[in-house]
Amino acid sequence: MKGLAAIAAVVAVLAAVPLFVQSNIALNFLVVTLLVALAGQGWNILGGYGGQYSFGHAAFFGTGAYVTAILQVRYGVNAWAGFAAGIAGGAAVGAFIGALTFRAGLRGSYFALVTLAFAEVLRIIASVAPITGAGVGTLIKLDLHPAAMQFESRAVFYWVILALVAVSLVIAHLIERSRFGAWLIAVRENEDAAKALGVNATRVKLGAMTVSAAITAAAGCFYAQYFLFVDSGIAYGTWISVEALLTPIIGGVGTVFGPLIGALAVKALSEGAKLVAGDAPGLSLVVYGCVLVFVIAFAPRGFVGLLAAAYRRLARAPKKREAAHG
Amino acid sequence: MSDNKLSLSRRTLLAGTAATIAMPSVLRAQGAGVKLGILHPVSGALSYSGTQGRLGAMLAVDEINAAGGIKGLGKIDAVLGDAQSTPAGGTAEVEKMNSAGVAAIVGGYASALCLAISQAAARYDLPYVVDVGVADAIVTRGLKNTFRFGPGFGVIAKTAIANLAAINDAAGKPAKTVMIVHEDSLFGSGLAKLLNAQLPQHGFQILETIPHPTPTRDFNNVVLKMKAQNPDLVIPANYYNEYVLLARTMQQQHVKPKGIYSVLGGAASSYKFVKEFPEAAKYIMDCNHWFDPKNPKALALKKKVEDKGQFFTYEVYMNYSCVLLTADALARAGSADRGKLTEALASSSFAGHVMPYGPTKFVNGQNQGAAPVNTQVLDNDIKVVLPAAFAQAKPVFPMPA
Amino acid sequence: MLSPVILIPAILNGLLTGAVYALVALGLTLIYGVLHIINFAHGALLSAALFAAFFAFRLLGLDPYLAAFLLAPVFFAIGYALQRLVIGPASHGDDRNMLLVTLGLSIIVENALLFAFRADTRTIDLPYAFATVDFGFAFLAVPRVIGFAVVFAVALVLWAIMRFTDIGKAIRAVAKEKLGAELAGIDVAHVYAMTFGLGTACVAIAACLLIPTYYVNPSVGDGFVLIAFTIVVLGGMGSVPGALIGGLVIGVVESLSGLFLGESLGQIGIFLIFIAVLLARPTGLFGAKA
């Protein structure tokens, strides 16, 4: 229950933000940050808890984005139904890729690069297939009404993405506390030992991959609703695969809040670098890269790890004093 | 905390009104100044074009300010933004510019960015002048704030085909078969689709349409196909790097069609290409954005840019023209009020730009006079060959052996 | 399309292109085989090496094939320093962190190049750049044929280093059994850095082979990274012959699928073959059992 209470507290605080912050700059920033946090939480289920690093989460993000966009534009499907279909589509792709790769026994870097290959295959197909509009992409009609899942106010978009992130936090929490989660972590720690203890590793990994894909696909669907334009580079490009793995690792893999903290840190760093470096092309990204390397050097377990270490040191301090005066 | 709350909501109030309120009284004499957003992808995949676009825009800003600024409003305070070559980056910059109180935004360059920028700016009825982005969707979405100065690819394809037919007819119809090589993202695919639909109506036979990604590392196979099928005409539509690779590979494999007729060719009407690869560039034709070669203002700008050591590319003079257009509209509106500026742009009839378009006339956000022109690389220089009103030379077709 | 007049030149072209891919992948596979990290910075280092080759020509008048003799040791030193002073210390030996550090490095290098040199595409013009070797029905570009030969030479030199020199044996020892090697007195940090240096030197040579027929800008290396990763895994991570053969195979696959499916869809051939091979042989063609 403690975990759920923490999630509720964090979500409540975040939900209150638009009541105090009207700046659309800030709201837009937060929406994009939460979008990345959601994609990262998806990756975290498979990579953080499951130890299976995927370099191709764009495959799920892009599927979510395209499914909902195409259903709306070509078939007149309602945006909310399209959203659900996008999540289902992403999950299906995840299950498919997982079934192929886990059954073949692919692990470690081989698994990582195979997921990258799948994402690239999807990207290439999307860039030539007529149904996606090929190179021209798919543009969702601008229609700022709740029925079309588009909103006049950025605050409403913010609450929608926050709700999705909240659900993903709860899912991570439930996985942590469940038997499935125990099996998943056992597979992460030592797959062969887990198998010897009777864990059906393939089935567990497959389940994690499906959930992981569904969550990241939801981020893709939201992207489509927020920005309205999807093409193969946006949907399946390596940029989102990188963001999806960067944020949990920076924030703390295998933790409930890791991706959220990581997303906030990474996006804030990006903005900070722009402020510091100004207008010169590329300079702000050089600053960003340098700080990134520093953060990894000094927080190898991510921010959650830093916080945990600090907490432990604080908790130990009074005991040490007691012992000294003992 | 409460101070922040107040100042933040004050900022949102200001966002929708003129920026003149904030300016020091010293400038009130000739106008308190007006903020203009200059938004381009200066980092990321499109950084060369974005940087050139920013250069052109700033040259216009500096010129206007040197002459005392905009009549009645004062000097232009340029608010620069980097769209980072992504729609999310462009959107974030629009929010910042809106918050800074800009009167309008100029730029975008790539269609995907223009789409994102126009819809973000539309939230605030912030006028947005598109510099290049050719997707027709940009002006057919019904966004009242968006104005495109240059042509969309519907007009470009139509003009390109009409001019091709004219050039072919004038030479006695030596060309019948065509091969299209295009980049596979928005502008290449969109153009190829239109070409495929319209070329047969003019009696051309399309042998093959070859899409390729950006970047493409090697064109040997494409050129092999050209060799095998021997089209009379090759129509490339791609970005600079790929165009150069393609042209060099054709030279290497001794492939010489009767004509290379590019549409929105990345290098076909590029001074850089002509300078660096004069042999490969000879006689190549392009139907592309180009300045009015008979306009002294254009030639003066060209000299200025080349003196800076830069190439006079289309991003430069189109952005230059867009800023001049916006400044003219601001002067006519008499204020930086967004509603008045939008009306001024919609009713503008501006001839002080350097493009071969005639005075501007916007219908549903599209400048009606905007059209590409045909150029050809002749005598190590790029000359306009069509339409006759702007031509500097007659087209040489077919290419001499 | 099926006529030999097209097929044979396409295959030959694929081999020539594949050779350069193989050289880029060689560096990557060495780094993976020993450090067990996928070096995300590889593409950015290729871009940097291309700039170096460009300036070697422009400022020093060095022909790229001569410049390779200068740039290989220079980039070896850069690679060594990067691993010893930045990547190693920053990652605390954790694979996951090494991944992120190389990712950060790639952002830094690419954007430093952008900031310093702008995004203009640069090319060099060499008198022999357009020369071709006539094979009857195929004209093969001279620089690419030379490149093909050089790649094999480099692969041979690398193999010899691995087999016969002390450092080569140390590298192989660390790759096989790090703890044991350490206990035997081998300076692992030094070996890691030497390996990274060798990998970076390969990239520098690849740049010199590419520049006569290709172009230079800050993001040009990105176009080779995915293919290099694919080849490394296909050939088996850590295997030098694997990278060479994998590179040639991928080059031919890319060429033929581009021919039959068009250049855009044809790219899919590379990744489909890659997936197919891995599903059948999970550790790559020549890879050691996981």
Side-chain angles (χ1 to χ4, degrees):
Chain A
M1 263 334 258
K2 188 170 94 167
L4 278 177
I7 295 176
V10 167
V11 172
V13 167
L14 286 175
V17 167
L19 302 174
F20 300 98
V21 173
Q22 262 94 44
S23 154
N24 271 343
I25 300 178
L27 284 176
N28 179 58
F29 170 80
L30 287 170
V31 167
V32 174
T33 303
L34 287 179
L35 196 162
V36 170
L38 184 64
Q41 186 67 281
W43 187 93
N44 191 32
I45 304 290
L46 182 66
Y49 292 107
Q52 311 299 314
Y53 276 32
S54 145
F55 285 179
H57 255 57
F60 317 125
F61 181 88
T63 302
Y66 264 124
V67 165
T68 186
I70 292 173
L71 283 177
Q72 287 177 67
V73 171
R74 283 186 190 264
Y75 301 104
V77 170
N78 171 268
W80 297 90
F83 200 93
I87 295 179
V93 171
F96 175 73
I97 297 177
L100 277 180
T101 53
F102 295 137
R103 230 146 258 181
L106 283 167
R107 297 199 202 171
S109 303
Y110 295 96
F111 171 74
L113 285 171
V114 125
T115 56
L116 179 62
F118 274 108
E120 275 298 292
V121 167
L122 285 172
R123 186 186 61 78
I124 292 166
I125 295 178
S127 76
V128 296
I131 195 172
T132 61
V136 180
T138 304
L139 181 66
I140 297 178
K141 188 157 157 330
L142 184 67
D143 181 15
L144 295 176
H145 297 104
M149 207 177 182
Q150 297 175 38
F151 314 100
E152 288 255 15
S153 158
R154 291 214 190 274
V156 181
F157 273 114
Y158 172 82
W159 282 315
V160 170
I161 187 72
L162 179 60
L164 291 167
V165 169
V167 169
S168 76
L169 289 171
V170 169
I171 292 177
H173 168 81
L174 289 175
I175 287 182
E176 256 187 11
R177 300 295 145 115
S178 70
R179 203 180 309 173
F180 172 77
W183 292 333
L184 188 59
I185 293 174
V187 166
R188 175 186 81 198
E189 293 302 316
N190 189 329
E191 185 163 339
D192 297 314
K195 277 203 217 166
L197 287 171
V199 174
N200 186 338
T202 308
R203 220 159 16 132
V204 163
K205 287 196 284 187
L206 190 55
M209 184 129 179
T210 311
V211 172
S212 168
I215 296 175
T216 303
C221 297
F222 183 85
Y223 181 99
Q225 292 307 122
Y226 194 65
F227 288 106
L228 299 177
F229 178 72
V230 182
D231 71 19
S232 59
I234 289 171
Y236 292 117
T238 47
W239 72 277
I240 186 67
S241 293
V242 169
E243 300 249 335
L245 70 84
L246 185 65
T247 50
I249 297 183
I250 293 282
V253 286
T255 65
V256 171
F257 289 106
L260 181 58
I261 296 178
L264 281 165
V266 163
K267 288 289 169 199
L269 170 60
S270 171
E271 288 301 306
K274 270 194 247 180
L275 271 169
V276 164
D279 291 318
L283 195 55
S284 68
L285 285 165
V286 173
V287 172
Y288 173 81
C290 288
V291 177
L292 200 64
V293 173
F294 272 116
V295 165
I296 298 162
F298 293 109
R301 283 231 182 68
F303 281 108
V304 171
L306 259 184
L307 289 171
Y311 178 74
R312 276 198 299 273
R313 206 174 294 156
L314 283 171
R316 230 178 288 149
K319 294 209 189 97
K320 261 201 259 175
R321 254 184 275 130
E322 276 178 34
H325 294 290
Chain B
M1 254 298 128
S2 51
D3 264 356
N4 283 356
K5 218 198 316 185
L6 272 173
S7 57
L8 278 167
S9 42
R10 214 194 303 147
R11 218 179 293 151
T12 12
L13 266 177
L14 275 180
T17 60
T20 47
I21 298 174
M23 284 295 152
S25 55
V26 142
L27 293 172
R28 230 178 262 281
Q30 89 264 44
V34 63
K35 290 202 166 98
L36 186 62
I38 309 282
L39 181 52
H40 295 95
V42 285
S43 67
L46 305 167
S47 60
Y48 180 69
S49 295
T51 313
Q52 290 292 92
R54 190 188 264 190
L55 171 66
M58 287 313 291
L59 281 172
V61 168
D62 293 338
E63 215 175 84
I64 293 170
N65 285 348
I70 299 178
K71 191 171 77 168
L73 288 174
K75 298 208 173 171
I76 300 180
D77 179 10
V79 179
L80 299 177
D82 176 6
Q84 293 194 319
S85 304
T86 65
T91 305
E93 290 296 312
V94 171
E95 294 294 344
K96 287 191 197 150
M97 289 177 171
N98 173 57
S99 216
V102 300
I105 295 182
V106 172
Y109 178 67
S111 295
L113 299 180
C114 298
L115 287 168
I117 295 170
S118 68
Q119 78 203 27
R123 282 174 173 274
Y124 311 108
D125 294 322
L126 177 56
Y128 167 48
V129 179
V130 178
D131 56 352
V132 175
V134 293
D136 285 323
I138 298 173
V139 288
T140 55
R141 282 209 287 180
L143 290 177
K144 299 260 176 320
N145 69 319
T146 304
F147 297 92
R148 180 163 62 190
F149 174 67
F153 58 46
V155 165
I156 293 174
K158 214 161 79 148
T159 312
I161 294 173
N163 286 356
L164 173 59
I167 292 175
N168 197 27
D169 288 346
K173 290 205 201 229
K176 177 134 174 78
T177 57
V178 167
M179 204 163 186
I180 304 174
V181 179
H182 69 91
E183 64 90 43
D184 64 9
S185 81
L186 202 146
F187 99 83
S189 301
L191 212 49
K193 209 162 154 196
L194 290 169
L195 290 174
N196 267 286
Q198 296 170 27
L199 274 173
Q201 295 165 17
H202 291 263
F204 291 99
Q205 184 199 354
I206 301 179
L207 295 177
E208 199 171 344
T209 302
I210 304 180
H212 68 80
T214 305
T216 294
R217 288 170 292 271
D218 179 73
F219 277 95
N220 276 294
N221 282 349
V222 174
V223 175
L224 267 176
K225 286 190 199 176
M226 266 186 220
K227 249 180 155 168
Q229 300 184 60
N230 205 11
D232 296 324
L233 214 55
V234 171
I235 300 187
N238 36 29
Y239 290 103
Y240 184 87
N241 296 332
E242 282 65 40
Y243 191 100
V244 169
L245 264 181
L246 175 65
R248 288 178 91 177
T249 311
M250 284 172 70
Q251 193 186 341
Q252 205 162 52
Q253 299 284 329
H254 308 294
V255 170
K256 268 211 130 181
K258 294 196 179 129
I260 298 179
Y261 188 87
S262 164
V263 183
L264 287 183
S269 50
S270 156
Y271 287 114
K272 184 179 162 86
F273 180 55
V274 173
K275 177 165 171 232
E276 294 182 1
F277 304 104
E279 275 311 302
K282 262 201 226 170
Y283 300 117
I284 290 184
M285 286 192 272
D286 195 8
C287 186
N288 209 334
H289 309 292
W290 196 254
F291 62 93
D292 177 356
K294 306 198 169 154
N295 183 330
K297 214 167 166 179
L299 299 171
L301 181 66
K302 177 166 185 273
K303 183 161 188 314
K304 218 185 208 169
V305 170
E306 286 171 351
D307 286 345
K308 270 178 184 270
Q310 297 304 324
F311 287 102
F312 196 48
T313 58
Y314 65 95
E315 303 97 341
V316 175
Y317 41 87
M318 288 186 82
N319 274 280
Y320 177 83
S321 302
C322 286
V323 170
L324 290 181
L325 162 69
T326 313
D328 169 75
L330 277 165
R332 285 173 39 241
S335 86
D337 172 72
R338 290 173 183 179
K340 294 211 181 115
L341 179 55
T342 306
E343 272 167 40
L345 279 166
S347 62
S348 87
S349 176
F350 178 63
H353 56 76
V354 297
M355 303 300 287
Y357 298 163
T360 58
K361 179 166 143 94
F362 289 100
V363 172
N364 286 332
Q366 176 61 51
N367 181 12
Q368 297 298 297
V373 297
N374 273 50
T375 60
Q376 189 167 25
V377 180
L378 297 165
D379 304 321
N380 262 346
D381 193 11
I382 302 175
K383 305 232 165 87
V384 175
V385 294
L386 275 180
F390 300 100
Q392 300 165 285
K394 282 211 163 341
V396 173
F397 182 74
M399 283 208 287
Chain C
M1 215 87 58
L2 293 166
S3 115
V5 180
I6 300 207
L7 261 187
I8 298 186
I11 294 177
L12 289 175
N13 274 321
L15 287 172
L16 295 184
T17 316
V20 180
Y21 291 164
L23 186 53
V24 176
L26 259 176
L28 202 58
T29 205
L30 265 180
I31 293 173
Y32 184 82
V34 174
L35 287 84
H36 299 288
I37 53 154
I38 308 243
N39 177 20
F40 269 119
H42 215 64
L45 288 169
L46 177 61
S47 305
L50 276 164
F51 268 102
F54 174 78
F55 286 117
F57 181 78
R58 270 295 153 83
L59 302 175
L60 301 174
L62 273 180
D63 178 276
Y65 297 119
L66 292 177
F69 289 100
L70 169 66
L71 292 179
V74 167
F75 272 79
F76 174 86
I78 292 176
Y80 186 96
L82 272 177
Q83 168 59 30
R84 199 85 203 247
L85 303 174
V86 180
I87 302 175
S91 47
H92 306 279
D94 185 333
D95 282 3
R96 174 171 54 215
N97 288 336
M98 254 189 270
L99 207 103
L100 283 195
V101 172
T102 56
L103 181 66
L105 257 178
S106 78
I107 297 174
I108 296 173
V109 171
E110 180 174 327
N111 286 285
L113 289 172
L114 174 62
F115 174 66
F117 303 122
R118 284 175 49 116
D120 314 34
T121 294
R122 291 161 158 88
T123 48
I124 65 176
D125 211 354
L126 293 163
Y128 55 81
F130 285 117
T132 51
V133 180
D134 195 340
F135 271 86
F137 38 69
F139 293 120
L140 299 178
V142 162
R144 281 151 63 83
V145 173
I146 298 180
F148 189 80
V150 171
V151 169
F152 274 90
V154 171
L156 200 62
V157 166
L158 264 179
W159 176 84
I161 291 178
M162 288 294 144
R163 192 94 204 284
F164 300 120
T165 64
D166 280 342
I167 186 62
K169 291 183 198 153
I171 289 177
R172 277 189 293 144
V174 170
K176 230 186 172 98
E177 176 54 67
K178 178 179 128 184
L179 189 57
E182 220 168 352
L183 290 173
I186 293 180
D187 181 352
V188 169
H190 174 66
V191 166
Y192 275 8
M194 290 292 279
T195 313
F196 206 93
L198 276 174
T200 313
C202 287
V203 153
I205 302 177
C208 294
L209 297 179
L210 267 176
I211 199 170
T213 50
Y214 206 57
Y215 53 84
V216 183
N217 68 35
S219 47
V220 74
D222 291 350
F224 290 85
V225 165
L226 285 187
I227 293 223
F229 283 175
T230 308
I231 295 169
V232 164
V233 177
L234 184 69
M237 299 208 237
S239 161
V240 168
L244 194 54
I245 299 192
L248 294 174
V249 166
I250 289 287
V252 174
V253 165
E254 182 187 43
S255 186
L256 289 177
S257 58
L259 201 58
F260 289 106
L261 298 173
E263 294 299 311
S264 292
L265 189 57
Q267 292 289 297
I268 218 174
I270 303 169
F271 299 105
L272 286 178
I273 295 282
F274 174 75
I275 292 172
V277 169
L278 275 191
L279 289 179
R281 271 190 72 92
T283 50
L285 291 171
F286 295 92
K289 288 286 168 217

